[in-house]
């Protein structure tokens, strides 16, 4: 681990100011990948500290933003008839255990409960969670020289290597690293927006615009600028939210990343699906909302046959390797199982 | 309410005494070797190779040396020729200590992925790690042979690799198989596995003049002492090894590894104590591993369920330079009555580190193959798999016709089957369901050879009514401290809390390696005799009050010492014991008898009808292993064994990249082992058994028994649930989904 300096921010504006001042005096150049910048905010540290020990990330300066959630104006969860607002500085367990979430947004609660371990959920914030980096072994182990995400232009060892856990949607010839998150899938499915604060201004973007697909520059993972912080996630209160689940498939029963997962919400009335909201985990390079699958279900009867059509639609652009080919069928079955389960929910 | 953790003793079982070191362990009072504070240490961090075969063409340490706090970066330029080639433990001719003859830091040659190529020493661990990351290494790489089936392998018969190896056979199995009406002929495969004990590999070395103290978690403190002396060319009398608590080992801490001599020499070079704790990822190459295996098992049987032929051909992987392999046909050829048996073990040499002992090294892969085949054969003739095994049960092993000293296999089957509810099983695959989940039941046999080695123990009784037991045996977490205290208390007629047991220090009388499940039988035999010697020195053979005896003789204390070997074993084993070599013998290797522990495992799996993930709601294992010293620690060993077996069945695999012969998933997120929620109901039944032939106390040992057969029972249950035979471990969603 490279020695680093550490400072603590007390408020959001303090954090933005510290970040932008430190970045201005660092060697960072605009357009570089934010997550490799020499200045990094740190919250729970459950991902960043790991990657620093592995020498995958080498920030020289850390700005601790853990104090921010103690500010009186920051509330972990607030909701009204139109919106659910989650503070990005809240911990995963705070959100997972919130009564409103448990009652009205079961998908969100489940996507957090099924992730990591209780100890990690107590430390990790949801803002950090949606920015967590891939578990691709070639990215995390610097003794493998090839990784376009870690060292741009070096090549991708994963495509011909051990790719069992890696992505089949949104891949490129330069990277097939999976976005590892669960909670991100619920944000993608529920059409969240993200409020971002920089030194000078706040902006709000759709969640779907936050992450960038690898393309030819897999080192650039989000549209965030290095002085920016995610402040909140805003989820529109829609009729499908209550009829929603997060189904996660993995080799062991707990404490494992998803091989496949499905975040599914249905608005069913009079025996017809008025609207569907679907995101798929474990299979995409970014949180993967499947508008194709949603459209395949719109105004359709919730039955096996239509679920199968939706599953086919969801994976029609999939590209597999020899080792992760099983994810194609598994991903479809996961979605069918989730749709079946959610359609049968008593609400 | 009954305490399931402390089963009530049946016939020939001791009391379920809680671990005497339990409170120390849960309160942090037990000092594991890396916990022991040493003065002014230099902290080590390894640099390891990122190729599996070739040469180092340049190793540039200049950047690393410039970092603040760096003391030294040691490479082969520093240590070449200074560490003798290690002698293999269990190698031809006996006296060895090492798991591999690999000599890192001797030359520029790279023989496997993760080989040590430099040791960084720094004032802090963090500085050492940072420097290790910037040591610049360039290689002249050659294309390695990675695994079974790769190009460029050297393939040899096991009998060529190791002259002492025999391929057991009897009758004419090929002919019988050819002529048989009912037969199966299948191939089964097992993957690379790593032990991954929670305690990382560590070594601390402190020199005081010519004297060296080594703190290292070791399954053989004396083996480490003598092995290190051999490698350093120094007098073993100058080395003391301390290994009082060990946080899991499973074989990975059995033989001396490359790191110990390097750390010792580094401490000498820098004139400072050196402490090295190896990272989880580097730990995948720091010691050994269970190598991948392929098996051909061909069985034939009569319609009424008698085996007529058994053919077991094993294919194993080892390194280019060493002769290590497991050869599990010793066990599989002797499990069942069968007139025609043919076995053959073939060894493949690849560009990999030498594999080594991992929990029931031979029996786990070989019994997985045999017990899977037994299930297929039973199905072929339409017979219940338990009844099929009953039909072929025997008190005489079929190769040489030797009598089993005891064998309670069917008693284990019957007790486990009754508790499991085997009679409710639908033998037709895919017929049992629980909602969306397919349900399947399977069973398999567990076995483990009863092994013993020479051991020595000193016991001292003191006038204050306390006793001290001293032996260098290790407690690898299994309960050795506890059972020795129990036995001493019982023999001396005092309460267990009056007994202190000292282990894991070469200042103590030597004891064997904690391997092959031999320590309980070996060390208890010596302790029993030491207690008898003590009592007879006091003239009290008939029991009674030892304190009164001491007072009468006007003595403050009296000791008893014993060095023992297994019944019938040569006394020469004691000389080897004093050189740090464990002359382990038993199982199927004896001339006049065969001795094994047995068990039966029943497992229920659920397989999701759409997504195919496999969950295990119920496991029941019944085991008979002679005298049970402590039902609580025994149950715990068997519980852990079956959970390990569950891992090997469904989760554990080290991914070897075919192009590079490198391990990919070197962390505990990607190398999966079961977590709590994977283990639902798990019942251990201790079956009462008495064996009067193996040793005076009738102890068989059971540390490694529980993991044998689990994978086959799971696999057989998956078949019963789904109708799919997956003949390759681990069984995962990939194997079941269409």
């Amino acid at each position: 681990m490279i020695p680093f300096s550490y400072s603590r921010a007390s408020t959001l504006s303090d954090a933005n100011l510290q970040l932008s001042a430190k970045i201005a005096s660092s060697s960072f150049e605009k357009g570089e990948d934010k997550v490799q910048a020499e200045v990094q905010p740190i919250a729970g540290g459950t991902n960043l500290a790991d990657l620093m020990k592995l020498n995958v990330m080498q920030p020289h300066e850390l700005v601790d933003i853990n104090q921010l959630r103690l500010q009186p104006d920051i509330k972990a969860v607030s909701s009204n008839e139109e919106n659910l607002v989650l503070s990005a500085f809240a911990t995963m367990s705070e959100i997972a255990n919130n009564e409103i979430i448990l009652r009205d947004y079961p998908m969100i609660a489940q996507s957090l409960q099924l992730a990591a371990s209780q100890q990690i959920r107590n430390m990790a914030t949801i803002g950090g969670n949606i920015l967590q980096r891939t578990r691709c072994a070639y990215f995390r182990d610097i003794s493998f020289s090839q990784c376009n995400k870690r060292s741009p232009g070096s090549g991708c060892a994963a495509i011909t290597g051990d790719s069992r856990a890696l992505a089949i949607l949104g891949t490129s010839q330069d990277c097939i690293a999976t976005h590892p998150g669960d909670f991100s899938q619920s944000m993608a499915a529920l059409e969240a927006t993200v409020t971002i604060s920089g030194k000078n201004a706040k902006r709000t973007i759709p969640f779907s615009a936050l992450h960038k697909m690898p393309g030819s520059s897999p080192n650039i993972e989000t549209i965030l600028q290095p002085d920016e912080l995610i402040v909140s996630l805003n989820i529109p209160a829609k009729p499908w939210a209550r009829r929603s689940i997060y189904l996660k498939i993995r080799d062991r029963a707990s404490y494992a990343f998803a091989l496949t997962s499905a975040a599914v919400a249905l608005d069913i009335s009079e025996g017809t699906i008025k609207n569907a909201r679907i995101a798929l985990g474990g299979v995409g390079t970014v949180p993967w909302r499947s508008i194709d699958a949603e459209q395949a279900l719109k105004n359709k009867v919730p039955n096996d046959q239509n679920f199968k059509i939706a599953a086919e639609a969801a994976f029609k652009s999939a590209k597999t390797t020899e080792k992760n080919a099983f994810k194609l069928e598994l991903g479809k079955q996961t979605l069918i199982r989730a749709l079946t389960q959610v359609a049968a929910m008593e609400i | 309410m009954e305490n399931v953790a402390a089963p009530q003793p049946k016939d020939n079982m001791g009391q379920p005494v809680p671990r005497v070191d339990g409170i120390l362990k849960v309160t942090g009072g037990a000092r594991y070797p890396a916990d022991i504070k040493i003065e002014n240490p230099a902290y080590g961090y390894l640099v390891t190779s990122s190729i599996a075969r070739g040469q180092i063409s340049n190793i540039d340490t200049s950047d690393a040396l410039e970092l603040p706090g760096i003391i030294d970066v040691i490479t082969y330029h520093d240590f070449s020729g200074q560490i003798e080639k290690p002698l293999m433990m269990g190698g031809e001719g006996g006296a060895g200590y090492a798991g591999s003859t690999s000599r890192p830091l001797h030359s520029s040659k790279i023989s496997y992925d993760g080989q040590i190529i430099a040791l960084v020493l720094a004032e802090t661990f963090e500085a050492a790690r940072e420097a290790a990351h910037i040591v610049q290494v360039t290689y002249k790489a050659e294309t390695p042979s990675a695994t079974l089936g790769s190009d460029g392998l050297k393939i040899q018969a096991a009998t060529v690799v190791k002259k002492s190896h025999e391929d057991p056979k009897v009758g004419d199995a090929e002919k019988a198989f050819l002529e048989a009406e009912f037969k199966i002929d299948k191939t089964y495969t097992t993957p690379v596995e790593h032990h991954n004990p929670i305690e990382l590999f560590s070594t601390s070395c402190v020199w005081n003049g010519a004297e060296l103290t080594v703190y290292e978690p070791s399954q053989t403190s004396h083996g480490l002492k003598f092995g290190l002396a051999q490698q350093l060319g120094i007098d073993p009398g100058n080395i003391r090894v301390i290994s009082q608590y060990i946080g899991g080992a499973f074989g990975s801490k059995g033989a001396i590894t490359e790191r110990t001599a390097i750390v010792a020499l580094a401490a000498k070079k820098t004139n400072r104590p050196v402490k090295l704790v190896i990272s989880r990822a580097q730990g995948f190459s720091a010691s050994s591993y269970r190598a991948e295996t392929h098996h051909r098992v061909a069985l034939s049987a009569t319609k009424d369920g008698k085996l007529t032929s058994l053919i077991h051909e094993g294919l194993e992987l080892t390194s280019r330079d060493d002769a290590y392999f497991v050869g599990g046909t010793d066990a599989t050829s002797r499990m069942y009555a069968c007139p025609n048996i043919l076995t053959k073990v073939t060894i493949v040499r690849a560009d990999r580190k030498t594999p080594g002992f991992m929990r029931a090294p031979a029996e786990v892969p070989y019994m997985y193959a045999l017990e899977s085949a037994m299930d297929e054969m039973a199905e072929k003739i339409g017979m219940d798999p338990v009844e099929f095994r009953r039909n072929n049960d025997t008190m005489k092993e079929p190769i040489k016709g030797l009598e089993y000293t005891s064998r309670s296999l069917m008693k284990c089957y019957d007790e486990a089957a009754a508790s499991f509810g085997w009679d409710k099983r639908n033998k037709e695959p895919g017929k049992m369901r629980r909602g969306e989940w397919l349900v399947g039941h399977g069973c398999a046999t567990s076995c483990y050879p009863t092994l013993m080695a020479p051991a020595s123990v000193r016991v001292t009784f003191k006038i204050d009514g306390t006793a001290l037991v001293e032996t260098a045996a290790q407690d690898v977490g299994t309960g050795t401290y506890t059972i020795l205290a129990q036995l001493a208390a019982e023999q001396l007629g005092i309460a267990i809390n009056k007994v202190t047991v000292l282990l894991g220090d070469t200042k103590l009388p030597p004891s064997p390696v904690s391997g092959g499940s031999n320590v309980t039988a070996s060390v208890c035999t010596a302790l029993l005799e030491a207690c008898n010697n003590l009592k007879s020195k006091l003239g009290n053979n008939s029991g009674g009050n030892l304190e009164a005896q001491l007072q009468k003789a006007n003595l403050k204390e009296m000791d008893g010492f014993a060095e023992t070997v297994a019944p019938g074993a040569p006394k020469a084993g004691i000389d080897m014991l004093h050189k740090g070599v464990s002359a382990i013998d038993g199982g199927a290797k004896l001339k006049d008898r065969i001795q094994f522990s047995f068990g039966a495992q029943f497992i229920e799996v659920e397989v999701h009808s759409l997504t195919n993930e496999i969950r295990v709601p119920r496991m029941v294992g019944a085991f008979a292993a002679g005298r049970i010293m402590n039902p609580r620690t025994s149950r715990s060993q068997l519980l852990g064994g079956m959970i390990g077996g569950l891992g090997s069945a469904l989760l554990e695999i080290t991914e070897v990249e075919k192009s590079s012969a490198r391990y990919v998933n070197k962390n505990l997120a990607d190398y999966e082992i079961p977590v709590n929620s994977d283990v639902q109901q798990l019942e251990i039944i201790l079956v009462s058994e008495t064996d009067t032939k193996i040793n005076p106390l009738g102890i068989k040992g059971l540390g490694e028994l529980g993991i044998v057969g689990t994978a086959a029972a799971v696999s057989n249950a998956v078949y019963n649930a789904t109708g799919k035979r997956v003949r390759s471990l681990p069984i995962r969603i990939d194997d079941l989904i269409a």
Side-chain angles (χ1 to χ4, degrees), chain B residues 87-91 94-100 162 220 223 254-256 324 357 513 580:
Chain B
L87 302 173
M88 280 293 279
M89 182 186 257
Y97 312 95
S100 141
K162 206 183 234 178
T220 166
I256 188 169
Y324 180 89
F357 315 111
V513 61

Side-chain angles (χ1 to χ4, degrees), chain B residues 465-718:
Chain B
T466 64
L468 179 67
V469 176
E470 295 171 284
T471 179
Q474 307 67 218
D475 187 334
V476 290
T478 48
T480 309
Y481 280 109
T482 307
I483 56 152
L484 294 181
Q486 265 182 287
L487 181 62
E490 175 197 301
Q491 291 299 316
L492 302 177
I494 56 177
I496 188 169
N497 63 9
K498 299 287 183 191
V499 182
T500 300
V501 179
L502 297 182
L503 298 177
D505 184 340
T506 51
K507 289 270 188 246
L508 305 170
S511 256
V513 61
S514 294
S517 303
N518 90 89
V519 158
T520 300
S522 306
V523 181
C524 285
T525 299
L527 175 58
L528 175 68
E529 197 173 307
C531 290
N532 287 337
N533 289 345
L534 184 156
K535 286 188 281 187
S536 75
K537 274 161 87 176
L538 278 172
N540 173 11
N541 270 323
S542 55
N545 188 330
L546 292 174
E547 276 168 86
Q549 302 267 345
L550 275 181
Q551 265 165 3
K552 211 162 75 186
N554 202 17
L555 291 169
K556 289 215 157 53
E557 60 179 47
M558 175 57 76
D559 68 354
F561 177 75
E563 293 178 316
T564 51
V565 298
K571 291 278 179 202
I574 290 174
D575 299 338
M576 293 169 78
L577 177 68
H578 286 278
K579 289 177 188 150
V581 176
S582 301
I584 295 182
D585 210 352
K589 300 283 194 200
L590 303 174
K591 291 196 164 51
D592 61 337
R593 62 186 192 268
I594 180 165
Q595 50 191 41
F596 269 76
S597 306
F598 287 94
Q601 304 197 14
F602 289 77
I603 284 166
E604 176 177 284
V605 301
E606 290 178 345
V607 181
H608 195 272
S609 54
L610 292 175
T611 43
N612 289 278
E613 67 265 45
I614 307 164
R615 298 291 176 253
V616 181
R618 291 193 302 138
M619 306 171 77
V620 178
F623 303 92
R627 176 164 175 82
I628 299 299
M629 297 302 290
N630 181 332
R632 182 196 297 258
T633 54
S634 295
R635 171 183 176 273
S636 179
Q637 281 298 290
L638 294 163
L639 203 72
M642 286 182 71
I643 294 168
L646 176 64
S648 80
L650 300 176
L651 297 169
E652 289 186 55
I653 177 170
T654 307
E655 300 285 353
V656 183
E657 206 177 55
K658 286 201 175 68
S659 56
S660 64
R662 299 197 63 201
Y663 296 139
V664 181
N665 54 334
K666 295 174 295 221
N667 60 74
L668 286 181
D670 297 319
Y671 182 95
E672 293 190 19
I673 56 173
V675 294
N676 277 337
S677 43
D678 290 299
V679 183
Q680 301 179 39
Q681 287 179 46
L682 173 39
E683 184 192 1
I684 301 295
I685 300 168
L686 295 167
V687 174
S688 180
E689 183 185 66
T690 299
D691 189 316
T692 56
K693 300 187 186 100
I694 38 173
N695 52 55
L697 288 159
I699 298 165
K700 283 182 160 180
L702 48 66
E704 291 164 270
L705 178 60
I707 194 174
V708 181
T710 317
V714 170
S715 176
N716 298 338
V718 168

Side-chain angles (χ1 to χ4, degrees), chain B residues 240-530:
Chain B
R240 181 180 180 188
V241 172
I242 296 178
S243 192
Q244 289 164 324
Y245 293 96
I246 296 146
F250 315 120
S252 67
K253 296 164 185 169
I256 188 169
T257 67
E258 295 78 7
R259 72 184 190 271
T260 312
I262 292 171
V263 172
L265 218 49
K268 179 144 243 182
K269 179 172 192 274
T270 54
N271 202 20
R272 252 179 106 161
V274 170
K275 178 175 189 168
L276 171 71
V277 180
I278 296 180
S279 73
R280 178 65 62 188
Q282 291 182 340
F284 274 70
S285 298
S287 181
S288 68
Y289 60 96
R290 195 196 290 286
E292 56 271 53
T293 64
H294 286 188
H295 306 259
R296 175 193 171 218
V297 183
L299 301 176
S300 63
T302 60
K303 178 76 185 141
D304 57 352
K306 292 279 186 201
L307 281 168
T308 57
S309 70
L310 184 158
I311 300 171
H312 192 163
E313 295 172 0
L315 184 67
E316 300 184 35
L317 179 138
T318 197
S319 64
R320 295 273 181 201
D321 297 328
D322 296 322
Y324 180 89
F325 62 91
V326 300
T329 46
D330 251 0
T332 57
S333 63
R334 287 163 167 106
M335 278 304 100
Y336 301 109
C338 181
N340 302 294
I341 296 171
L342 182 66
T343 68
K344 185 171 170 56
V345 175
T346 304
I347 308 303
V348 159
R349 292 183 179 277
D351 296 299
R352 295 263 301 281
K353 195 174 187 196
T354 308
F357 315 111
M358 179 165 163
R359 252 187 163 179
E363 295 73 21
V364 162
Y366 280 76
M367 285 295 284
Y368 154 69
L370 177 66
E371 289 301 298
S372 300
M374 286 293 283
D375 198 68
E376 299 205 45
M377 191 70 241
E379 193 202 20
K380 192 103 185 174
I381 55 171
M383 183 170 280
D384 179 274
V386 176
E387 295 314 305
F388 183 50
R389 288 172 175 93
R390 193 186 311 280
N391 267 325
N392 295 288
D393 190 32
T394 179
M395 291 308 289
K396 242 184 209 178
E397 58 89 26
I399 303 293
K400 293 177 185 158
L402 300 174
E403 294 270 353
Y404 275 100
T405 56
S406 59
R407 172 168 161 134
S408 308
L409 175 63
M410 293 319 298
K411 204 172 158 194
C412 292
Y413 265 108
D414 291 339
E415 291 193 24
S419 177
F420 184 82
W422 182 250
D423 54 342
K424 292 175 196 75
R425 169 186 188 250
N426 188 330
K427 69 175 185 181
E428 202 154 320
K431 295 291 183 207
M432 295 191 289
R433 253 188 118 98
R434 196 172 289 143
E436 295 171 12
W437 297 80
L438 303 166
V439 177
H441 294 164
C443 64
T445 296
S446 305
C447 71
Y448 196 75
T450 298
L451 303 172
M452 276 186 73
S456 64
V457 176
R458 181 185 304 111
V459 59
T460 308
F461 185 81
K462 297 179 184 171
I463 192 74
D464 62 1
T466 64
L468 179 67
V469 176
E470 295 171 284
T471 179
Q474 307 67 218
D475 187 334
V476 290
T478 48
T480 309
Y481 280 109
T482 307
I483 56 152
L484 294 181
Q486 265 182 287
L487 181 62
E490 175 197 301
Q491 291 299 316
L492 302 177
I494 56 177
I496 188 169
N497 63 9
K498 299 287 183 191
V499 182
T500 300
V501 179
L502 297 182
L503 298 177
D505 184 340
T506 51
K507 289 270 188 246
L508 305 170
S511 256
V513 61
S514 294
S517 303
N518 90 89
V519 158
T520 300
S522 306
V523 181
C524 285
T525 299
L527 175 58
L528 175 68
E529 197 173 307

